[in-house]
Amino acid sequence: MATQVTVSCGTKNYTLRVRDGVRLQVADANHVQKAVDLPGAIRAALDAPIASPRVESIVRAGNTVCIICDDITRRTPVREILAELLPRLHGAGVSVADILIVVALGSHRKMTDAEMRAKLGQDVLAAYTVRQSEFRDLDKLAQAGTSPLGTPIRVFKEALAADVRIGLGTIAPHGCMGWSGGAKILYPGITSEDIVSELHAMQGLADGILFGMAECPVRHAVERWTAQIGLDFIVNTILTEDMDVYRVVAGHFVKAHRAGIGHALDVCGGAVDAAPDVVLVSSKPLETDFWQCGKALYGSAAVARPGGSLILLAPCHEGIGPHPEIVAYSGMPDGVAALGKRLNAGGTGEDLLVMAVGVSMGKINAAFHTAIVSDGLTREELAPGGYEWFPEASLQAALDLALDRYANPSLLVLTAGGETVPFIPGAA
């Protein structure tokens, strides 16, 4: 008899039949218990930092301190962290006037007043100097070295001028740097737009899949620069599948970050017995558009057999998203060479970023047969990328067609591929 597997797409659930003879593996989201006492978890991390003195031993009276946090697009509980962190700084003699809080925008839009209140709290906004980083206005940026590709690294001046820098963020799988968190809050968090785009270009030029890679070459480059500039302390959270806090780590920007990855794998890691011929992946919890949902293909490609088939089930309520040209870039037969040529010619800005992400996805297209199952997209929209398209009602047909390509097929189902890092234990 066939085995049944249920996957979700947005608000819809689909029950699929997997015929006899198919070697089936299912990697569900890991259900971990959220921290019962969030303030207590933050205090415990600050009391026992990893490879670092306590933050109150790092600062002293008269120091200027810059606290850098992520923006509203991330779910880091910044307000709650500040409630525990700021009293320690004041207890060590740092005055309110000597503390600057910078929201790292990367290349995102400015946050609204309401979003700032939600992220930081009205009391903090009223008492402290708070800035949002700048990525285009060169008058607000200062050069601090050059990137591995030779581009000037320009950083938000006010953050660079501080005696002590503290980064707040969350550790989650990331397509370019392996994992978010750690040094990423500085680079590209508060750097210029050309550095943001170049960082993604490094992803496009890199060999292999960087998503979920702990010792990612792009991250190593970022950390070498950060070691020269200085990130004196971090506080990073790890979230459950429901975006509640699971664990908190604090301390050295590299060693605490790597310890945090270990906790993140409790949530996101999915052990796979062997490389499957076919991966069916739901983009859950990513839903908005292809620009976002396509990230679920990275983890799938990291474990699939070369020449295998990937099936992405994704709502994409807003279609391709803000960068429709990503599809054409993902279909370029010479994408890596074209990206390198663009960089050598001094290309930068938003289009370079889109090209880099598209080329990264194009490398997956070149290695696998890729189908997109979505009611939010059309066959015509996806055709430039060489993707096969199915409506959601034809998900079973898409699966059967993929399995029919192989004599003795194996299938991996990722029910929450947008946040799952599948891995084969013992594989290099």
Side-chain angles (χ1 to χ4, degrees):
M1 295 179 62
T3 302
Q4 292 188 335
V5 176
T6 299
V7 292
S8 61
C9 181
T11 59
K12 305 172 188 175
N13 294 321
Y14 296 93
T15 299
L16 300 168
R17 300 178 308 279
V18 181
R19 63 176 183 259
D20 285 345
V22 175
R23 290 163 289 160
L24 173 65
Q25 303 175 77
V26 179
D28 289 313
N30 296 328
H31 304 291
V32 297
Q33 179 66 45
K34 71 177 182 180
V36 176
D37 176 9
L38 176 55
I42 297 168
R43 285 195 297 273
L46 292 171
D47 284 342
I50 297 167
S52 168
R54 291 189 183 191
V55 70
E56 54 267 43
S57 298
I58 293 173
V59 299
R60 62 180 184 272
N63 280 160
T64 55
V65 177
C66 180
I67 301 171
I68 309 164
C69 68
D70 50 20
D71 68 7
I72 201 68
T73 65
R74 305 295 188 261
R75 297 292 292 272
T76 307
V78 171
R79 181 172 53 187
E80 289 82 356
I81 294 172
L82 291 176
E84 301 297 332
L85 176 62
L86 290 170
R88 293 176 184 244
L89 300 179
H90 297 318
V94 180
S95 68
V96 170
D98 283 333
I99 293 176
L100 167 68
I101 299 172
V102 173
V103 178
L105 296 179
S107 60
H108 301 166
R109 65 162 175 81
K110 295 280 188 180
M111 287 168 57
T112 66
D113 290 344
E115 289 169 341
M116 292 287 282
R117 286 193 296 272
K119 188 75 175 181
L120 302 175
Q122 182 56 44
D123 291 347
V124 167
L125 289 173
Y128 294 85
T129 301
V130 179
R131 301 277 191 261
Q132 299 191 59
S133 68
E134 176 58 58
F135 52 90
R136 286 184 176 147
D137 186 349
L138 295 182
D139 289 338
K140 296 181 179 179
L141 300 166
Q143 184 173 345
T146 57
S147 76
L149 298 179
T151 301
I153 301 175
R154 298 183 178 92
V155 186
F156 190 59
K157 277 183 181 178
E158 291 183 78
L160 197 60
D163 297 319
V164 175
R165 280 174 289 279
I166 301 169
L168 315 182
T170 285
I171 300 173
H174 192 268
C176 180
M177 290 186 66
W179 296 85
S180 61
K184 186 175 180 292
I185 199 70
L186 279 187
Y187 183 163
I190 59 170
T191 61
S192 57
E193 186 177 39
D194 52 356
I195 287 296
V196 176
S197 58
E198 185 184 276
L199 195 73
H200 287 82
M202 292 169 68
Q203 172 192 0
L205 296 173
D207 294 330
I209 302 297
L210 305 183
F211 181 87
M213 182 185 294
E215 301 303 333
C216 170
V218 177
R219 173 168 286 279
H220 286 169
V222 167
E223 289 173 343
R224 284 192 293 271
W225 174 84
T226 300
Q228 296 173 5
I229 300 305
L231 180 58
D232 301 279
F233 198 84
I234 65 167
V235 183
N236 280 183
T237 56
I238 298 91
L239 307 180
T240 71
E241 61 173 318
D242 296 321
M243 300 294 108
D244 296 312
V245 171
Y246 168 57
R247 293 286 188 271
V248 184
V249 294
H252 188 273
F253 76 93
V254 175
K255 293 181 180 179
H257 178 262
R258 299 302 193 274
I261 289 176
H263 295 309
L265 285 170
D266 294 342
V267 182
C268 304
V272 177
D273 294 337
D277 297 305
V278 179
V279 180
L280 168 61
V281 53
S282 167
S283 68
K284 182 181 177 181
L286 308 178
E287 298 186 351
T288 306
D289 52 41
F290 186 65
W291 175 259
Q292 180 189 67
C293 295
K295 296 175 183 177
L297 289 170
Y298 291 134
S300 307
V303 293
R305 182 182 64 78
S309 297
L310 310 180
I311 305 168
L312 173 64
L313 174 64
C316 298
H317 304 305
E318 298 180 12
I320 297 296
H323 305 294
E325 59 272 28
I326 186 179
V327 179
Y329 281 137
S330 68
M332 294 175 64
D334 57 348
V336 173
L339 178 60
K341 185 176 180 180
R342 175 77 66 87
L343 276 170
N344 290 335
T348 186
E350 190 171 23
D351 187 60
L352 179 65
L353 185 153
V354 178
M355 182 182 188
V357 175
V359 167
S360 296
M361 297 186 71
K363 291 191 293 186
I364 295 174
N365 286 357
F368 304 96
H369 184 101
T370 307
I372 310 297
V373 180
S374 176
D375 288 348
L377 303 170
T378 67
R379 188 188 312 276
E380 292 72 25
E381 287 176 315
L382 292 170
Y387 296 103
E388 190 172 13
W389 172 83
F390 294 88
E392 291 173 31
S394 297
L395 177 60
Q396 181 71 58
L399 175 60
D400 292 340
L401 181 62
L403 293 172
D404 286 343
R405 294 191 183 102
Y406 310 97
N408 296 293
S410 56
L411 170 65
L412 169 65
V413 178
L414 298 174
T415 62
E419 63 179 13
T420 301
V421 179
F423 64 95
I424 301 173

